[in-house]
Amino acid sequence: MLNHAFKRLLGAVPTLLLLITLAFFLMRAAPGGPFDRERALPPQIEAALQADYHLDQPLWRQYFGYLGGLAHGDLGPSFQYTGFSVAELIASGAPVSFRLGASAMILAVLLGGLLGCLAALRRNSVFDRALMALAMLGISVPNYVVAPLLILLFAIGLGWLPAGGWSSHGIGDAVLPVLALALPQIAVIARLMRASMIETLGANFIRTARAKGLPMRLIVWRHALRPAALPVLSYLGPAAAGIVTGSVVIEQVFGIPGIGRYFVQAALNRDYTLVLGVVIFYGALIILFNFLVDLLYGTLDPRLRLS
Amino acid sequence: MSASVDTATIAATERGKGVSPWRQALQRLRRDRAAVAAAVVLILMVLLAIAGPWISPWPYDVIDFDGDWGAAPGLAGGHWLGTDELGRDLFARTCYGGRISLLVGLAATLVSLLIGVGYGAVAGYIGGRLDALMMRAVDVLYALPFMFFVILLTVFFGRHILLIFLAIGAVNWLDMARIVRGQTMNLRRREFVDAAIVSGAGTAAIIRRHIVPNLLGVVVVYATLSVPQVILVESFLSFLGLGVQEPATSWGALVSDGAHAMETTPWALVVPASFLALTLLCLNFLGDALRDALDPKSG
């Protein structure tokens, strides 16, 4: 088990390093600098700025300097928000983004899993067919389409919920963004759960449990749920990536002060270091999450534990 | 599955004609009503995207100064689906946006096909250490948050539409490479490949002439499923303002514009959103049905 974990961790390191290296050199290869203005700066000021941000050093020194900074959690200064470091900006948005993303993830797993199970148990019923059609719709309609439509319906049309904003304690303003963020993932998880539950229910050990006279409820809960949940578990990595990507849009649409909003602003303003910092931060987060899912998979699937 | 395909196959065989796997797949596909409906809608959508800007009385980028800004849908004034906040015809804009979105979807899929099929076929056919190395690289790339990479590319290298094609295609080929590799490893052991080796064909020639044509079925299915993904990525970028630039537009950009003005002109959101959603839904349906139809185990 520990061996497995260690191997997985070793596998994650080159990925992370590649991410950082690719992102860094892409940034340096980009045409134009962060200080290009319509009016050229006086050469002395230009040189002072370059020196201040270490842009006058050779590329390899900048790269290793950046790597060294990363090791201390230093992502460099933001080019646009003068006086703020990228790490500070990310830290200020992180709690909000985390709350949004974690709620959406939990909602997606619970609701998607539940709906998938129910559909599998009532296979080919009207409920099943309707749910799968809805799930297809959920997969096809991206959350930047869902989000404004939800606002249009529930905030502007019915006036039940606020159309945007974010407070640290209220629940009302979190409902729509979390729902919009979770919907596509609910759809995917429901489909996965249904397919794998149907497969599991056809297995021999389920027939044995049935022959023993166990009620269906107990069969599903005690015997079928764990093996059937494995494909869902392995989807959690991509789901996390989807939620992180989706949160960029959702934060934009609902005006939520998280990392995603900084990211979009930085991308539009060509704030190179901030874009780079967020990409690396999110990349590392997703890689870490995948690693954790791998570990969890090992503990849930006894076959993996033995080999 | 059902008897009809079997009787058709049997009848054809009795007449002394073989039924090719492609034909069988087509027969199965035709009986899937959802797939046929999806295909019809898609064809209509493509026609609308091509012809829409011509049949519309208004061009997509002209402001109707005589009409109301943000006019509701109706037949009066020639704005069949209303106008947007700036008074531009929504029907023409949606059709024009469809052109861009569909074009990006097709072009980027083509790019990812070329890279993915080439990469996967080489790795799968040659095998051994090269294969292990190439697939390890794919694994590493797979773990990267690829949407952020596309954004990174557009931020650093400007927002040119051609770059968007390339960027999306260049990160979207990983799935294709994996699938093609798996398929190629099966094909490699087949007799016709041995025959080609014996008759002195070179590795490159075998891959080109014998492996790649046999991959067509899988490639078609995954291309169909990759088009909606690419359209999603493009509209995601455009929604954030990083995709196509004014006055050109795409469905994603239109949804974004519509979302900003949804309190006053809700149709500016609903119209492009439904076009986008319908297209993606049909592409996904068709891709799923194609996969089932081409699966030799079904039917």
Side-chain angles (χ1 to χ4, degrees):
Chain A
M1 187 64 218
L2 260 176
N3 204 1
H4 178 71
F6 190 66
K7 253 191 217 153
R8 283 292 171 178
L9 198 61
L10 273 189
V13 172
T15 311
L16 196 59
L17 210 61
L18 179 77
L19 168 75
I20 296 167
T21 312
L22 257 177
F24 182 85
F25 284 104
L26 269 179
M27 176 172 101
R28 286 295 182 268
F35 305 118
D36 288 350
R37 298 282 185 275
E38 280 177 30
R39 206 151 47 101
L41 291 166
Q44 295 94 328
I45 295 182
E46 176 99 41
L49 270 174
Q50 299 266 358
D52 197 36
Y53 289 109
H54 305 295
L55 291 175
D56 53 345
Q57 292 177 351
L59 200 58
W60 63 270
R61 276 190 68 175
Q62 287 182 38
Y63 173 65
F64 284 106
Y66 192 78
L67 274 187
L70 269 182
H72 310 131
D74 176 15
L75 293 159
S78 162
F79 283 147
Q80 290 290 331
Y81 299 88
T82 344
F84 287 96
S85 77
V86 171
E88 277 168 0
L89 290 173
I90 290 179
S92 79
V96 175
S97 290
F98 179 76
R99 200 178 131 207
L100 177 68
S103 318
M105 191 71 169
I106 292 167
L107 180 70
V109 171
L110 292 184
L111 198 58
L114 181 72
L115 290 175
C117 284
L118 289 179
L121 289 173
R122 292 170 180 65
R123 196 179 167 188
N124 291 332
S125 66
V126 179
F127 171 77
D128 178 29
R129 279 163 192 276
L131 194 73
M132 283 306 113
L134 268 181
M136 193 51 139
L137 195 69
I139 291 175
S140 303
V141 185
N143 37 27
Y144 42 87
V145 172
V146 172
L149 289 178
L150 283 179
I151 296 181
L152 196 61
L153 183 63
F154 290 106
I156 297 173
L158 298 169
W160 289 350
L161 293 159
W166 187 264
S167 58
S168 50
H169 43 272
I171 298 216
D173 45 9
V175 172
L176 287 183
V178 168
L179 196 64
L181 193 52
L183 270 180
Q185 308 305 331
I186 294 176
V188 180
I189 291 177
R191 274 166 62 108
L192 273 176
M193 191 73 210
R194 173 182 178 270
S196 97
M197 185 54 103
I198 285 174
E199 206 186 317
T200 310
L201 287 179
N204 285 337
F205 66 91
I206 298 293
R207 199 172 39 189
T208 310
R210 250 190 233 236
K212 279 197 315 191
L214 276 184
M216 204 55 199
R217 220 165 1 98
L218 275 183
I219 293 178
V220 170
W221 186 248
R222 270 205 218 144
H223 296 281
L225 197 57
R226 207 162 88 164
L230 287 178
V232 175
L233 188 66
S234 54
Y235 174 71
L236 287 189
I243 282 183
V244 165
T245 322
S247 73
V248 173
V249 187
I250 296 297
E251 286 176 14
Q252 188 78 0
V253 173
F254 288 94
I256 295 169
I259 300 175
R261 273 229 303 192
Y262 282 126
F263 183 64
V264 175
Q265 282 313 310
L268 291 171
N269 293 334
R270 314 190 107 206
D271 187 344
Y272 286 178
T273 42
L274 187 49
V275 170
L276 194 61
V278 174
V279 169
I280 289 172
F281 177 74
Y282 273 157
L285 205 69
I286 290 169
I287 291 168
L288 181 77
F289 195 82
N290 273 319
F291 168 67
L292 290 178
V293 167
D294 260 347
L295 283 191
L296 201 62
Y297 205 95
T299 52
L300 270 189
D301 190 347
R303 283 166 304 185
L304 262 180
R305 233 178 298 161
L306 286 174
S307 60
Chain B
M1 243 159 80
S2 90
S4 67
V5 73
D6 295 335
T7 48
T9 314
I10 291 164
T13 331
E14 277 169 355
R15 282 199 305 274
K17 272 192 268 175
V19 177
S20 75
W22 281 100
R23 244 206 134 73
Q24 276 182 310
L26 201 67
Q27 282 171 354
R28 278 198 286 262
L29 198 64
R30 269 209 211 123
R31 279 187 297 114
D32 189 341
R33 257 184 280 159
V36 173
V40 170
V41 172
L42 279 176
I43 292 170
L44 286 179
M45 198 62 92
V46 171
L47 287 179
L48 200 60
I50 296 172
W54 297 333
I55 56 175
S56 164
W58 291 91
Y60 75 94
D61 55 351
V62 165
I63 294 171
D64 179 9
F65 284 104
D66 301 327
D68 291 337
W69 290 5
L75 286 176
H79 300 297
W80 302 329
L81 294 176
T83 55
D84 68 1
E85 232 188 350
L86 296 173
R88 293 175 295 191
D89 185 61
L90 207 56
F91 174 73
R93 283 185 76 70
T94 307
C95 291
Y96 180 85
R99 277 188 188 176
I100 302 283
S101 287
L102 291 171
L103 199 66
V104 172
L106 289 176
T109 298
L110 207 65
V111 173
S112 74
L113 271 191
L114 290 177
I115 305 177
V117 171
Y119 195 93
V122 167
Y125 184 75
I126 293 177
R129 223 181 248 174
L130 183 75
D131 173 43
L133 194 74
M134 284 172 85
M135 282 303 123
R136 184 80 194 101
V138 168
D139 285 344
V140 169
L141 288 176
Y142 221 80
L144 298 179
F146 99 100
M147 188 71 92
F148 290 99
F149 249 88
V150 176
I151 295 178
L152 217 59
L153 285 172
T154 58
V155 170
F156 295 156
F157 295 101
R159 294 163 201 161
H160 197 274
I161 186 114
L162 207 67
L163 183 87
I164 297 176
F165 288 157
L166 285 175
I168 299 176
V171 284
N172 210 32
W173 58 273
L174 299 170
D175 272 324
M176 188 62 79
R178 276 189 174 171
I179 292 154
V180 164
R181 169 184 171 263
Q183 204 71 9
T184 306
M185 289 174 76
N186 285 334
L187 287 173
R188 190 175 59 170
R189 286 189 276 275
R190 300 275 284 275
E191 292 84 355
F192 62 85
V193 176
D194 287 339
I197 296 173
V198 170
S199 48
T203 306
I206 292 175
I207 291 177
R208 205 175 60 243
R209 298 285 295 276
H210 299 284
I211 302 285
V212 171
N214 275 300
L215 294 168
L216 218 58
V218 197
V219 167
V220 166
V221 171
Y222 281 88
T224 319
L225 287 172
S226 136
V227 174
Q229 281 173 15
V230 173
I231 293 180
L232 272 181
V233 177
E234 185 277 324
S235 48
F236 177 88
L237 290 176
S238 294
F239 184 87
L240 293 178
L242 295 166
V244 292
Q245 300 293 303
E246 290 277 351
T249 192
S250 76
W251 283 336
L254 284 170
V255 170
S256 169
D257 291 345
H260 286 302
M262 64 185 158
E263 284 178 64
T264 47
T265 56
W267 49 88
L269 168 64
V270 174
V271 169
S274 8
F275 273 68
L276 175 64
L278 193 63
T279 305
L280 295 174
L281 192 67
C282 289
L283 279 166
N284 278 330
F285 257 121
L286 195 63
D288 271 6
L290 262 177
R291 183 170 48 196
D292 292 346
L294 280 170
D295 184 358
K297 276 177 284 185
S298 76

